[in-house]
Amino acid sequence: MTTNTPLLKVDNAGIQFGGLKAVQGVNVELDRGELVGLIGPNGAGKTTFFNLLTGVYVPTEGSISLNGEKLNKQAPYKITRKGISRTFQNIRLFSELSVIDNVKVAYHSLAKHSIASSIFRVPGHFSGETEMHEKAVEFLKIFNLDRFMNEKAKNLPYGQQRRLEIARALAANPKLLLLDEPAAGMNPQETQELMKLIALIREKFDLTVLLIEHDMALVMGVCDRIYVLDHGQLIAQGTPAEIRNDPKVIEAYLGEEVS
Amino acid sequence: GCGGAEESGGSGGGKEIKIGANVELSGGVASYGQSASQGLQLAVDEINKEGIDGKKLKIVKVDNKSDAAEATNGALKLATQDKVAAIVGAATSTNTLAQVQIATDNKIPLITPTGTNPDITNKDGKVNEYVFRTCFIDPFQGTVAANYAKDEFQSKNAAVFIDSASDYSKGLAKAFTDSYTKAGGKIVAKEAYVAKDTDFRATLTRIKSAKPDFIFLPGYYEEVGLIVKQAREAGIDVPIMGGDGWDSPKLVEIAGNEALNNTFITNHYSAADPDEKIQEFVKAYKAKYKDTPDGFAALGYDTGYMLADAIKRAGDASPEKIKEALAKTKDLALVSGNVTLNENHDPIKSASILKYENGEQKFATKVDPE
Amino acid sequence: MLKVDGINVYYGNIQAIKGVSLEINEGEIVTLIGANGAGKSTLLKTISGLLKPKQGKIVYEGKSIGGKAAQTIVKQGISHVPEGRRVFANMTVEENLQLGAYLRKDKEGIKQDLDKVFELFPRLLERLKQQAGTLSGGEQQMLAMGRALMAKPRLLLLDEPSMGLAPLLVKTIFRIIEEINQTGTTILLVEQNANLALSIADRAYVVETGRIALSGDAEELTSSEQVKMAYLGGH
Amino acid sequence: MELIQQLINGISLGSIYALIALGYTMVYGIVKLINFAHGDVFMVGAFVGFYSITLLDLSFFPALLLTMAVTAIFGVIIERIAYKPLRNATRIAALITAIGVSLLIEYGFIYFRGAQPEAYPSGVLPTEKISILGVSINSQSIFILCTSVVLMIILQFVVHKTKIGKAMRAVSFDAEAAKLMGINVNNTISATFAIGSALAGAAGVIFGTYYSKIEPLMGIIPGLKAFVAAVLGGIGIIPGAMVGGLLLGVVESLVSAAGYSLWRDAVAFIVLILILIFLPSGLFGKNRREKV
Amino acid sequence: MTILKSAKGFWLSILLSIILFAIIQFLIIGEYLNGFYINTIFFMGINIILAVSLHLIIGITGQFSIGHAGFLAVGAYASAVVSMKLGLPFPLAIIMGGLVAAIAGLVIGIPSLRLKGDYLAIATLGFGEIVRIVFLNIDYVGGASGLQVSHLTTWPWVFVCMMITLLVIRNFTNSTHGRACISIREDETAADAMGINTTYYKVVAFVIGSFFAGIAGSLYAHNFYIIQPSNFGFLKSFDILIYVVLGGLGSMSGAVVAAILLTIISTFLQDFPETRMVIYSILLIVMMIYRPQGLMGTREITSFFKKKKSVEGGPKDDNQHTVA
Ligand SMILES: Nc1ncnc2c1ncn2[C@@H]1O[C@H](COP(=O)(O)OP(=O)(O)OP(=O)(O)O)[C@@H](O)[C@H]1O
Ligand SMILES: Nc1ncnc2c1ncn2[C@@H]1O[C@H](COP(=O)(O)OP(=O)(O)OP(=O)(O)O)[C@@H](O)[C@H]1O
Ligand SMILES: [Mg+2]
Ligand SMILES: [Mg+2]
């Protein structure tokens, strides 16, 4: 694991659904600490690309490696444990669980106490659970969610649910965080708060972030680099300024250039 | 608290003698239990017209849902809660077996009208002191059928088709097979179905290709009717024979007159029997339930009379006395024949062989137990 | 044309709308803006009959429609394009459009309106036999609007038509909204993208936690400091 | 030859399953309710048919139509009373209610008329044994197979081509959006139940004439088998129910033919489980992975 | 700190149950209860074990299993063979019943993992039927006629097994492992994405659930004198399912309450033999119509005592819609 291998290397990855090539021949490299945007028209394959990275779909071609280690055909939970975690385009919280339990689920893979120790309530169970609980409380404080700690996730306001989903993804201790349209359904004011949150995350956690978003103000505002997908293929990549003026991107996605 | 009616039938103080009936009123074999229970009810109604030494019988019914666990529960209720003087047990062997221990522990006589499994009355060579039955045990009918097949039809290759969910059917089949093979016959096909099946064509096709010259079909009329019908449709026209489980007018309706030609049953009773006692029963049953009684109903009815007879002879409606009197039942004229209980508490009855002709039962021959 | 008067709407015990009143005049585009969970969608659902107001009146063209069943309200000329598009994913584009005209019997008129929809959304004509569920987000939004137009509405309720759409499509959709309005359909538009909504609207209401906090001319509101701060992301 | 005979046995048994499964899968596909009472509506149909033939002296077709009308109404009543209040509840809660309704019909029936069986009079439908090359076919089983196929086609047409069918599918997919189209959701669901129950009733009458024996608990096993057939074919897919029913019948017959009649149902369920393991949405169900 | 608090509640409930045990034991020994009531209490205990074991599979892990009677049957037969055929002591029979059923749970759990919703339901139902038919065809255990079993089940055994079931399942649920199962119920894809090995936990739930169903089977077999395949048909599975749903999916105390309630109702209805099933089915329909979320919703009994401390505007599970 030398420092010059990229954190994520996607080599010629693709997937087909029946006849539809939803993603094809995509090459992406992310370095540690980068915040990269992924944009493209609806149905371009952005979410599908996330699904490939997280093992929800198995790529029909190409390879994906994290820290130089191949991830192909691994179960999603194993990939998460290796360090990729995500949010979903439609919020998918554990809605009947409390806010703090949502976070604890993400800590599960770190738990050291076995099923037997929990059933027989040996001291290991108590110390394990206590540690998890304390960590989760601390963690929620960072996100200002600790006041909702014991609420069911489904009872949170929409914006807080988005926040919790991001927090939960971070609790899984990823090296790479994938955010799928975190600003969808938010008004400009709320979007600005989200931008602040993303900045906070980058500051507090040692992370690489890949972000799908249709809100150009957000994408252009926070990303170091941007990839553009169209019809499953990369059509452009570069800095926000380059992308904004790329004629192919304008034609396929932006319309006229955005201010 | 632990409820117990102040007027307990057991100790003979009151005007009522409580009789428990633990039968299948719901669940898979509800039709058996219902028939038995209706027969019993009819008998009790008739007995109560005169009463027994000025006392009337009162039936306390429980539904065992055709389930052994519920049967246990029901028996406990009858024994410990209702404190009945005797229990009329379930229509099937299993649900009766579930009650045997409870009857024994609580020292209450248990009579099953139709449970044919030998274990019920005699387990491992030991007679169950408190348990009795009104029906045949299986071996007799099977043997009679085997002899009939050999003597009447010179049958050499028989097929046996049984209801594997029924001890009755299995018991008959075993006796048949034993006698038949002992007499030099060969069982060329041995097939089984499960009660409530409706389509037997596949198995019948199989039986047909084994080319039997006689089919033994011990089962209950609900399935037997369908089997006979489908067998004739499949082109099987050899004689088919069964036991008392066939006996119901519904059999004729289900199978159809024509299909039933060349079929035979062993029976202790026939609804078509001109015998006065039987005709009176059939008439009374029809009047009360708008339906012709089947074998279950007849045996339920007989159980009522057998019990009444014992109570009368006991002169006291205490379970202990009833039990003793029951064991001494002798030459009691019942719808299902003249009954004497042997040392195993099983009835010894003669059997008739009946033959179906255009949907009518015709008397063929009578066989006495040896 | 539509007058909502002091309605209260509940989900179980939670009151989502608290005494809201508003008015829409024939031919206008009126927009509702407000934060997440303010109650905008609830308000639209109440107008279209999916929810019943506990108190208050809703009068449409002089007739009270508050609490009437949805199908009655559709019949009177109000169509609702719900949040999240809600196309019938297991049916073709064509079947979706036919369902839009479910209550209509005039075969001729339906045909004409179908052609009109294809004029507005040529993409739908290309995808006529495709399952709606396999359309892209933008196409689904077009289908949802086309489907609503098939009911020949005089008042069209649009709930966040730009949500999740690529910038290019957002522009297209808004252009089409103006076109629809120009053909004489009155529009009540709910939007998160307040800048865009205000730019095409005649009037606007600002909804905050179930109440109308502000209302007025679209231009006026765009320049109001309060609105800028809270909803336009301005400084 | 015996094998062909057995296949024919299987197909005739399977077409009975298919007949019941058609209505089952339709209601199931549209209302998303495992309607355990379907088998009992089938039973009620068999009895209504029986009484119309014996008491009202109707011949087969009038009895069939009368039965379908009665069971359609019966189905709608069940839906309105027992299922409608649970529209917004979890599906498993609705399933429990369906079990309750099933028990109520069975034991209500037993309470009023007893548990004893009844036999259809013979000759309601002409039966002829057709023998070709030593293989015998009952003309009634051909009739049943044809009826199932015709009903399948009609049902498929109704659900996919007619206005009410479109309304049904719309309601099934998204009831709220359907309301916005002006669809009367309650009436549409009632119509679904009416059609499904009428089909169950028809199946009951046909079953009665074919097997002749009917009794109050006769619906349990066929109901279960129809459920299996519906799932085997893919939930809500009408031709799937047909094929699932036939497959089930053939498997059962072949197992019996091999001399394992007591293992018949077990083998049928093993086949079911195996098929589901390889095709988790049934034979015809699109294995649509949930889009994340 | 919450853990300490729950530990206090834990010891309190242990104490209460020991008192309950002692009272009933006293009533039995002193012959204050007749056999019928005693049997009802046993049956209640067995039903509680069944309900709680299925609750783990359906209520907690969200796997729609409707073949639970299959595991009950496996346990009943396995234990009966151990005690009756092999002549080994009853405690060993109980444990073997559980273990063999757990193996059955493993066997059915693994292939069923690919299935979801109704497809899983029908597969488990099929499994239950297969089990029944297998026993029907094994003459060693009496085939259709059943196997006679001595009455060895006693109140202390019922009580101990019941308490162990309740404790184990409660302890499992209130741990990170239980949360993992709940997350599968709530959203399997998201659980996977959070690093939960969903396959493993589904199998674990099946294995633990069937283990206890097997224990219940052992008690059942040795309480009712005879077991036969027809005791374990799919209607029995439905009975257990009804406890879980009526109690409130996801609520263990709900499952317990429903099992107790329905056992009592069923006992009470013995007095109406002709109409009991009619009354029972009407009750079932009415209860579901008026409380589709079950008696307890997703709450536990303990939450009623904590109610006052709940945060303002706490969870409202009143999901009635004003939808027209
Ligand atoms: N499981 C699936 N089966 C079939 N097709 C699929 C599946 N998942 C995605 N697709 C198709 O792949 C294409 C890409 O979809 P995807 O969700 O990745 O788009 P997207 O770029 O995220 O769009 P949006 O911005 O609207 O979210 C679409 O045409 C979609 O219909
Ligand atoms: N089905 C429901 N049950 C209970 N509460 C609901 C339901 N739907 C909405 N609410 C609540 O009603 C309030 C208003 O919701 P509504 O969906 O109308 O907001 P909105 O302004 O449309 O927000 P958004 O911008 O997110 O679409 C919110 O607090 C929401 O949580
Ligand atoms: Mg996407
Ligand atoms: Mg909204």
Side-chain angles (χ1 to χ4, degrees), chain C residues 11 16 35-42 83 160 192:
Chain C
Y11 290 105
N36 273 299
K40 305 179 297 293
S41 301
T42 307
E83 197 168 8
E160 300 201 28
Q192 289 289 0

Side-chain angles (χ1 to χ4, degrees), chain D residues 89-118:
Chain D
T90 55
R91 295 193 43 217
I92 201 165
L95 171 71
I96 302 294
T97 317
I99 293 173
V101 170
S102 164
L103 292 175
L104 180 61
I105 298 175
E106 286 160 16
Y107 292 104
F109 219 74
I110 288 185
Y111 180 71
F112 285 112
R113 75 160 287 289
Q116 276 65 38
E118 209 70 75

Side-chain angles (χ1 to χ4, degrees), chain A residues 41-48 89 180-181 212 214, chain C residues 164, chain D residues 291-292:
Chain A
N42 295 103
K46 304 180 295 295
T47 302
T48 306
Q89 185 165 356
D180 197 347
E181 296 197 32
I212 297 178
H214 287 304
Chain D
K291 192 169 180 295
V292 184

Side-chain angles (χ1 to χ4, degrees), chain B residues 153 213-215 228 232 236-241 246 257-264 355-358:
Chain B
F153 300 104
D213 56 19
F214 184 88
I215 297 175
V228 170
R232 297 306 189 216
I236 299 175
D237 35 29
V238 299
I240 304 178
M241 185 156 184
W246 283 38
N257 295 349
E258 216 169 295
L260 276 175
N261 287 339
N262 205 18
T263 64
F264 306 85
K355 170 183 184 166
Y356 282 94
E357 260 172 31
N358 290 322

Side-chain angles (χ1 to χ4, degrees), chain B residues 3 11 27 75 84 183 227 245 272 298 300 323 364:
Chain B
S11 47
V84 296
I227 293 172
K323 173 209 90 181

